[in-house]
Amino acid sequence: MKKQVFKFLAKVNKVVLPSYSKQRLDLTKATKLQMAVIGWRWFVTKNALD
């Protein structure tokens, strides 16, 4: 059940949140909000793949 929730969240993230890798964002110049979005997407993806 937990994995299904994270898979759903991953799909929502893909639609709603911006993809900084496609925008070629330099992580050294990222704002705190951008770093939080990157961290959230990483967390959800990691748990969806487990």
Side-chain angles (χ1 to χ4, degrees), residues 19-27:
S19 174
Y20 293 122
S21 61
K22 289 181 182 176
Q23 296 176 5
R24 312 291 280 169
L25 176 70
D26 185 11
L27 291 178

Side-chain angles (χ1 to χ4, degrees), residues 5-48:
V5 171
F6 280 107
K7 283 190 175 198
F8 173 75
L9 280 174
K11 289 179 183 181
V12 171
N13 284 349
K14 189 172 184 176
V15 173
V16 175
L17 297 177
S19 174
Y20 293 122
S21 61
K22 289 181 182 176
Q23 296 176 5
R24 312 291 280 169
L25 176 70
D26 185 11
L27 291 178
T28 60
K29 296 177 183 176
T31 65
K32 288 185 180 186
L33 179 63
Q34 290 170 328
M35 291 300 283
V37 169
I38 291 168
W40 172 252
R41 288 184 71 146
W42 171 82
F43 174 75
V44 170
T45 301
K46 177 184 157 296
N47 285 305

